[in-house]
Amino acid sequence: MSSGSRLDAYVERYAARTRGMTASEIRALFAVASRPEVVSLAGGMPNISGLALDAVADTIHDLVLERGTVAMQYGSGQGDPTLREQICEVMRLEGIAAHPDDVVVTVGSQQALDLVTRIFCDPGDVVLAEAPSYVGALGTFRAFQAEVVHVAMDSDGLVPDNLRAALAAVRAAGRRAKFLYTIPNHHNPAGVTLSRDRREEILAIAAEADLLVLEDNPYGLLGFDEAPLPALRALREDGVIYLGSFSKTFAPGFRVGWVLAPHAVREKLVLAQESATLCPPAFSQMAISAYLAGHDWQGQIKDFREMYRQRRDAMLAALADLMPEGTGWTRPSGGFYVWLELPEGLDAKAMLPRAVTNRVAYVPGTAFYADGLGSRFMRLSYCYPTPERIREGVRRLAQVLETELELHATFGETSGLGPAHEEQPGLTAPGPETS
Ligand code: PMP
């Protein structure tokens, strides 16, 4: 190794904001978790095997032959105008009336999170976010040195009184929250959905407090039972910035998402987008645009929903059959995730090495909190493995819990008893054994 690549030669030159950019402590375990013998309930990868690949192949073949010189050229910083019109059609399914001029295409909704945080947050600014919240958003907020204040949920999503209390606490500290980051539908990681009534109430609280709402909605069309609830942006136009994505309803490899923002904000977002990427990828946008125009994309989403519904059913059935008493979990009505609460005394992060040895992986709850809480929780994803593998994964996990509980009963603590176990009342419901 040359002396030029010594770590300490660079560390002192890094900008202060890089201090928040740290690798997840569970990253090393993920290498092990991706071995074929391990059932991974950890990753949130969409199940692309459910996509009609021949249809996509035809679309891309024709795109290259017929419009390749445009598709492989630079494009508009705001995004392809035809795709922006189609995005408005997609959003209409959740009650949103929008103009294509107010849509900015991004490199996945992850980049949308980056751009919005970039234009609103200075170091030390407060962002309100559900407890728990999406790990990728927490990483972005950290990268911009924003401070996350969590707001607890229950099985109906964000609790309005808790939002009022958080706003009051922030105000009492002489500070102001820049925005509320929320995932109203099929929450990642909590697997809950904000109820219809609460949508109005949360919006009313935000309006009264002059609080901007950042609505992140990649899973809204992946509900299993009923028609989607209206998006927050459908109920209120002003003061809501909406993020959408094709990652879960089509495929994440294209890296296409979008922001729908009030007109005044849209211009700043385009400038931020231009400085980040010049323009979102023309090829990906035109491929998605051609796919939407030429294929039954709503039928494809229906197929995805059915595939994920079967996997959700497999996971809930296995949890009900196999989990020890004292374990609770959420019952998602869509999306990819179940949020599981361990019996008292157990710690999800400390238990993970034992779980991986028993060939099952999950994400410990602490990953989804900015403040180190969540030790008694874990996220289980059912999107990727087959229903049979899901059941086997839950069986292995239940064995690990049984062992940990025995250790806890014998020694008063397990291999993994962590810090104080915070209460999170109401988010998970007890399994049938305890109800
Ligand atoms: N928001 C949430 C809640 C997510 O779960 C994800 C992906 N897991 C994203 C945003 C980012 O997705 P993408 O960049 O692929 O659109």
Side-chain angles (χ1 to χ4, degrees):
M1 193 184 280
S2 77
S3 60
S5 62
R6 271 181 23 245
L7 192 62
D8 58 3
Y10 294 93
V11 166
E12 63 193 31
R13 300 170 206 231
Y14 288 139
R17 77 180 74 88
T18 63
R19 278 182 221 129
M21 300 177 186
T22 51
S24 151
E25 49 205 308
I26 51 173
R27 200 185 257 182
L29 269 161
F30 273 143
V32 186
S34 56
R35 287 195 202 137
E37 69 273 19
V38 175
V39 177
S40 180
L41 305 174
M45 284 194 301
N47 203 326
I48 302 302
S49 65
L51 188 63
L53 288 181
D54 47 352
V56 180
D58 288 347
T59 304
I60 290 177
H61 180 265
D62 293 349
L63 174 64
V64 172
L65 289 185
E66 291 161 19
R67 287 184 296 153
T69 54
V70 182
M72 285 180 268
Q73 190 50 274
Y74 288 114
S76 137
Q78 188 175 352
D80 181 75
T82 310
L83 180 64
R84 286 191 279 113
E85 276 173 29
Q86 292 164 309
I87 284 171
C88 291
E89 292 299 313
V90 174
M91 291 192 290
R92 198 161 300 161
L93 297 178
E94 291 177 84
I96 296 174
H99 196 281
D101 273 0
D102 296 334
V103 174
V104 181
V105 180
T106 53
V107 182
S109 51
Q110 188 66 37
Q111 196 210 6
L113 281 166
D114 183 285
L115 296 182
V116 170
T117 314
R118 185 179 297 261
I119 68 170
F120 283 107
C121 290
D122 287 313
D125 278 350
V126 171
V127 168
L128 299 174
E130 284 132 352
S133 189
Y134 167 50
V135 62
L138 296 180
T140 301
F141 302 148
R142 218 175 14 248
F144 286 100
Q145 299 164 284
E147 188 185 315
V148 171
V149 171
H150 282 296
V151 186
M153 291 186 281
D154 64 16
S155 55
D156 281 333
L158 192 64
V159 180
D161 278 345
N162 294 342
L163 177 59
R164 285 191 191 92
L167 279 165
V170 170
R171 222 176 292 124
R175 302 174 71 182
R176 182 167 174 226
K178 278 291 170 81
F179 54 77
L180 165 68
Y181 170 69
T182 177
I183 308 161
N185 296 314
H186 320 306
H187 192 277
N188 177 8
V192 296
T193 289
L194 186 65
S195 67
R196 178 72 175 81
D197 290 351
R198 283 201 186 165
R199 291 180 188 234
E200 307 278 5
E201 200 175 346
I202 297 288
L203 286 169
I205 296 168
E208 185 169 337
D210 196 20
L211 175 70
L212 193 59
V213 175
L214 179 57
E215 175 178 27
D216 188 9
N217 189 32
Y219 305 99
L221 295 178
L222 293 180
F224 304 139
D225 308 316
E226 294 147 24
L229 290 171
L232 296 175
R233 171 57 176 73
L235 300 172
R236 188 175 152 212
E237 200 166 312
D238 209 31
V240 179
I241 297 180
Y242 176 94
L243 310 186
S245 175
F246 288 108
S247 290
K248 276 74 185 192
T249 51
F250 183 42
F254 291 93
R255 306 306 300 126
V256 175
W258 68 89
V259 192
L260 170 65
H263 206 71
V265 176
R266 189 265 305 181
E267 193 50 38
K268 252 320 177 226
L269 283 170
V270 174
L271 292 170
Q273 172 64 290
E274 284 171 352
S275 86
T277 68
L278 295 183
C279 61
F283 191 85
S284 281
Q285 293 179 78
M286 289 180 73
I288 291 186
S289 177
Y291 168 81
L292 293 174
H295 295 279
D296 178 15
W297 57 274
Q298 293 203 46
Q300 173 66 65
I301 294 176
K302 227 170 129 200
D303 291 348
F304 276 138
R305 275 204 294 262
E306 186 52 26
M307 182 176 63
Y308 294 130
R309 192 185 61 72
Q310 285 173 11
R311 284 163 162 76
R312 186 271 320 251
D313 290 348
M315 178 165 280
L316 291 184
L319 289 169
D321 291 347
L322 301 167
M323 276 295 146
E325 191 164 328
T327 315
W329 56 87
T330 54
R331 274 85 175 162
S333 58
F336 291 180
Y337 311 105
V338 166
W339 186 242
L340 183 130
E341 181 176 8
L342 292 169
E344 204 169 325
L346 303 196
D347 181 292
K349 197 196 305 180
M351 215 175 82
L352 188 56
R354 202 190 295 279
V356 171
T357 305
N358 206 36
R359 294 168 300 135
V360 61
Y362 55 82
V363 185
T366 41
F368 306 97
Y369 287 81
D371 52 14
L373 295 181
S375 58
R376 212 173 124 189
F377 297 85
M378 64 175 68
R379 188 190 74 178
L380 300 178
S381 308
Y382 51 79
C383 44
Y384 201 74
T386 61
E388 297 70 35
R389 292 276 287 172
I390 288 170
R391 190 171 183 88
E392 177 57 20
V394 171
R395 192 186 66 77
R396 293 175 190 177
L397 184 60
Q399 282 174 343
V400 178
L401 262 66
E402 300 281 6
T403 310
E404 294 278 315
L405 283 169
E406 274 166 34
L407 283 169
H408 186 64
T410 312
F411 300 110
E413 63 176 50
T414 67
S415 57
L417 193 67
H421 294 129
E422 69 288 350
E423 289 287 308
Q424 209 186 37
L427 182 56
T428 65
E433 303 89 341
T434 53
S435 55

